[in-house]
């Protein structure tokens, strides 16, 4: 199995936790039963499996409290000689022992988002292998704020490390309104951005000037002009595969005239790859929040081909991992309380942990107490945006309230239900339609009561 993103980098000089010294490791080794695994110890000690693994392998820092709990499980007393600080200095992770510092390899990226990334190996593996070993479109689908962009960035960073691949990442959030309102402008903007990221002038023959684009579109149309540009001036000149990631695709759904043609063009590129080896160089990743109202001919749709990846919520172990990345002292009961309020919603979990770390006026108890109110950290802009949508669409609000109160008798094929699922307000689980988390139930029960 491929192992990627094995190291997480942190800010210079920041204590990244504590690891066992050789003396501490020796004590543990003497107590470890033969054949015992991390899962068994985690289950019996109340720690998380990743925490146990990090303590035993000494490859990541953990909270001092976790070391104390780990030693207590083996009826050992943690002494100062048993542990040491793990620090980061420049691009090298070092162990602060008071002696010579021993370097360990770290991820060279200095991106703050990378530093706070929670590894999700099974999903990363699926995404990575789909990119490398299939020629079809790869679709990453999830409601907003579920971590699609950061996941893609992690995998593309890994792809970049392999010199035979080139990557281009386009976010439609960066497009102007004028680009999103007319197909010709959108495709011209897309091609200009791809060319710019590939540094066409330095690495490839210069394609026809973009000011000639409009003349060509009069004869061939926008889609054919864009397709010809990719075929004749990109794919033909590139020696290696090109990974093209199109993020925030849902912004195109606002204009039917655009998304029908644009999505049809992507489907045609995929069809070309089945009979033209040149187009097999192109791997397309589309990331989007689904929209129930998007209608497209199945034979022209990219949404029914390739590999689809839907992002789940964080599990308990991943929430604990994020808390440890922030060096935040959350015990197991607090993590469970947080999960009880927000489930494992990545954005809500990150917002909670970040608020605890950066705001002196916030305590864990205060965050949970004020969570479903307008004074809570989740109100603006997250809950406020949902509230505005529901107030504009009373039919959605009525169905949502019926689910909150346990009175919904319809089925999953209902248009309103599909919309609420796509928004991320409800989920389909074990044959039932449920409110995504306790926070949503309490908040909207209170603020939607007058609709």
């Amino acid at each position: 199995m491929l192992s990627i993103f094995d190291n997480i980098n942190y800010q210079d000089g920041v204590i990244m936790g504590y690891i066992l010294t050789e003396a501490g490791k020796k004590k543990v080794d003497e107590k470890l039963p033969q054949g015992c695994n991390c899962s068994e110890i985690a289950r019996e000690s109340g720690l998380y499996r990743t925490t146990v693994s990090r303590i035993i392998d000494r490859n990541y820092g953990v909270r001092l409290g976790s070391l104390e709990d780990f030693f207590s499980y083996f009826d050992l007393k943690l002494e100062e000689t048993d542990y040491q600080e793990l620090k980061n200095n420049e691009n090298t992770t070092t162990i602060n022992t008071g002696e010579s510092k021993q370097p360990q390899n770290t991820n060279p990226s200095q991106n703050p988002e990378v530093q706070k990334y929670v590894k999700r190996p099974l999903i990363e593996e699926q995404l990575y292998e789909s990119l490398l070993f299939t020629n079809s479109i790869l679709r990453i689908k999830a409601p907003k704020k579920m971590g699609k962009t950061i996941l893609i960035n992690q995998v593309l960073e890994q792809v970049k490390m392999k010199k035979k691949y080139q990557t281009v990442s386009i976010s439609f959030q960066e497009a102007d309104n004028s680009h999103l309102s007319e197909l010709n402008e959108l495709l011209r903007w897309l091609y200009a951005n791809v060319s710019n990221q590939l540094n066409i002038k330095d690495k490839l023959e210069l394609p026809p000037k973009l000011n000639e684009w409009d003349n060509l579109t009069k004869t061939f149309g926008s889609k054919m002009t864009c397709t010809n540009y990719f075929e004749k001036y990109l794919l033909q000149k590139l020696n290696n595969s090109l990974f093209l990631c199109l993020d925030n695709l849902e912004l195109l759904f606002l204009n039917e005239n655009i998304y029908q043609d644009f999505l049809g063009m992507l489907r045609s590129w995929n069809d070309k790859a089945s009979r033209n080896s040149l187009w097999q160089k192109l791997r397309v990743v589309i990331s989007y929040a689904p929209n129930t109202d998007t209608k497209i001919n199945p034979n022209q749709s990219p949404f029914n081909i390739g590999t689809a990846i839907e992002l789940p919520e964080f599990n308990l172990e991943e929430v604990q991992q994020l808390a440890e990345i922030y060096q935040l002292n959350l015990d197991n009961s607090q993590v469970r309380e947080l999960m009880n309020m927000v489930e494992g919603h990545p954005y809500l979990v990150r917002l909670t942990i970040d608020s605890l770390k950066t705001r002196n006026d916030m305590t864990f108890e205060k965050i949970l107490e004020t969570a479903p109110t307008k004074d809570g950290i989740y109100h603006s802009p997250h809950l406020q945006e949902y509230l505005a949508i529901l107030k504009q669409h009373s039919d959605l609000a009525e169905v949502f309230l019926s689910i909150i109160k346990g009175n919904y008798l319809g089925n999953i094929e209902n248009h309103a239900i599909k919309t609420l699922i796509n928004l991320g307000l409800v989920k389909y689980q074990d044959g039932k339609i449920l409110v995504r988390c306790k926070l949503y139930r309490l908040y909207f029960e209170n603020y939607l009561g007058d609709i």
Side-chain angles (χ1 to χ4, degrees):
M1 180 174 286
L2 229 70
S3 177
I4 58 178
F5 318 131
D6 287 331
N7 300 298
I8 299 176
N9 190 35
Y10 298 81
Q11 294 177 354
D12 297 347
V14 174
I15 295 176
M16 305 197 307
Y18 300 87
I19 66 169
L20 296 178
T21 59
E22 288 295 338
K25 180 73 162 58
K26 184 176 179 180
K27 285 184 180 180
V28 170
D29 288 344
E30 291 174 351
K31 288 282 189 175
L32 280 173
Q34 189 172 10
C36 187
N37 59 48
C38 293
S39 296
E40 287 180 31
I41 298 174
R43 185 168 56 252
E44 295 173 10
S45 67
L47 294 168
Y48 290 93
R49 185 188 60 78
T50 51
T51 302
V52 173
S53 176
R54 289 174 178 183
I55 293 173
I56 294 175
D57 296 338
R58 302 168 69 216
N59 56 352
Y60 283 93
V62 300
R63 295 183 301 110
L64 191 57
S66 296
L67 285 179
E68 291 172 342
D69 292 343
F70 184 78
F71 265 55
S72 177
Y73 169 73
F74 290 108
D75 294 323
L76 294 171
K77 181 180 179 181
L78 185 68
E79 300 176 347
E80 290 186 1
T81 55
D82 296 328
Y83 64 90
Q84 56 203 25
E85 293 177 353
L86 188 65
K87 285 190 174 182
N88 174 270
N89 181 23
E90 295 178 352
N91 289 333
T92 305
T93 302
T94 57
I95 301 172
N96 183 14
T97 62
E99 303 174 0
S100 60
K101 297 182 178 180
Q102 303 176 14
Q104 295 178 343
N105 293 329
T106 63
N107 188 329
S109 174
Q110 297 298 312
N111 186 332
E113 290 303 313
V114 173
Q115 297 166 16
K116 297 174 182 177
Y117 178 69
V118 175
K119 294 193 293 182
R120 311 182 81 175
L122 294 179
I123 298 173
E124 292 164 8
E125 173 102 14
Q126 184 184 5
L127 176 54
Y128 188 76
E129 290 191 343
S130 296
L131 274 173
L132 294 185
F133 304 117
T134 66
N135 295 320
S136 298
I137 289 174
L138 176 62
R139 296 174 284 122
I140 302 177
K141 180 176 72 170
K144 292 180 180 179
K145 306 289 189 179
M146 288 294 288
K148 298 185 293 296
T149 299
I150 191 171
L151 171 65
I152 293 169
N153 289 342
Q154 296 300 311
V155 175
L156 288 182
E157 283 297 320
Q158 182 70 8
V159 169
K160 283 180 183 178
M161 294 173 65
K162 298 180 176 294
K163 295 182 180 180
K164 60 181 179 178
Y165 302 119
Q166 291 182 275
T167 65
V168 170
S169 184
I170 302 291
S171 172
F172 290 110
Q173 279 189 332
E174 297 173 353
D176 294 341
N177 288 335
S178 59
H179 300 134
L180 299 176
S181 60
E182 207 275 316
L183 181 66
N184 186 58
E185 289 299 313
L186 175 67
L187 297 184
R188 177 173 174 161
W189 175 85
L190 172 68
Y191 184 78
N193 274 272
V194 172
S195 301
N196 183 58
Q197 288 192 38
L198 289 174
N199 201 3
I200 295 292
K201 279 188 178 181
D202 294 341
K203 297 180 180 179
L204 303 174
E205 294 180 17
L206 189 66
K209 296 178 182 179
L210 280 173
N211 58 16
E212 297 178 6
W213 176 282
D214 290 335
N215 291 331
L216 291 171
T217 58
K218 290 177 182 178
T219 303
F220 298 104
S222 300
K223 289 192 296 182
M224 182 62 72
T225 299
C226 187
T227 298
N228 286 340
Y229 265 33
F230 268 83
E231 183 170 316
K232 295 180 180 179
Y233 300 104
L234 288 184
L235 299 178
Q236 203 171 84
K237 305 297 181 181
L238 288 173
N239 295 322
N240 308 318
S241 294
L242 171 63
F243 295 81
L244 174 62
C245 175
L246 304 175
D247 197 11
N248 303 116
L249 189 72
E250 69 274 3
L251 293 177
L252 302 188
F253 299 163
L254 300 175
N255 189 324
E256 183 174 358
N257 292 330
I258 280 188
Y259 79 70
Q260 291 276 7
D261 284 329
F262 187 85
L263 297 179
M265 183 184 72
L266 295 184
R267 175 63 180 258
S268 73
W269 289 358
N270 179 81
D271 294 343
K272 283 177 177 289
S274 65
R275 58 183 186 273
N276 186 334
S277 60
L278 189 63
W279 280 92
Q280 291 174 9
K281 290 182 180 181
L282 180 66
R283 314 289 174 83
V284 178
V285 183
I286 55 176
S287 168
Y288 60 100
N291 188 323
T292 307
D293 296 321
T294 305
K295 307 297 182 184
I296 186 170
N297 184 328
N299 296 322
Q300 295 180 325
S301 173
F303 299 139
N304 53 12
I305 58 174
T307 302
I309 296 177
E310 296 193 34
L311 298 190
E313 299 165 327
F314 285 155
N315 56 33
L316 278 165
E317 192 172 302
E318 288 164 342
V319 174
Q320 178 69 18
Q321 185 187 145
L322 184 63
E324 290 181 355
I325 288 173
Y326 274 82
Q327 290 299 300
L328 192 63
N329 188 21
L330 288 183
D331 58 36
N332 291 352
S333 64
Q334 288 176 313
V335 172
R336 290 189 175 90
E337 283 187 73
L338 176 59
M339 292 288 286
N340 182 51
M341 179 60 72
V342 303
E343 296 291 340
H345 192 295
Y347 171 74
L348 298 178
V349 170
R350 285 181 182 276
L351 179 58
T352 306
I353 291 176
D354 188 65
S355 297
L356 287 171
K357 191 68 178 178
T358 60
R359 292 182 56 176
N360 294 329
D361 62 327
M362 276 298 163
T363 63
F364 185 79
E365 292 74 20
K366 184 177 180 180
I367 286 177
L368 293 189
E369 181 182 345
T370 61
T373 72
K374 291 184 177 180
D375 296 324
I377 64 171
Y378 311 109
H379 171 68
S380 179
H382 184 70
L383 296 175
Q384 201 170 26
E385 290 179 357
Y386 277 139
L387 187 61
I389 292 171
L390 291 169
K391 285 188 173 181
Q392 289 172 6
H393 302 276
S394 58
D395 57 329
L396 286 182
E398 289 176 6
V399 173
F400 189 34
L401 276 175
S402 71
I403 296 171
I404 289 174
K405 296 175 181 179
N407 298 328
Y408 181 72
L409 300 177
N411 59 57
I412 193 173
E413 295 303 318
N414 182 286
H415 181 272
I417 291 297
K418 288 183 178 180
T419 301
L420 291 170
I421 290 175
N422 290 343
L423 285 171
L425 288 171
V426 303
K427 58 186 175 182
Y428 186 71
Q429 182 176 304
D430 299 328
K432 299 178 181 178
I433 299 166
L434 306 172
V435 181
R436 179 172 284 277
C437 62
K438 181 180 178 181
L439 172 66
Y440 291 173
R441 178 172 59 79
L442 295 176
Y443 179 89
F444 291 108
E445 187 174 34
N446 184 24
Y447 292 107
L448 284 179
D450 58 342
I451 293 182

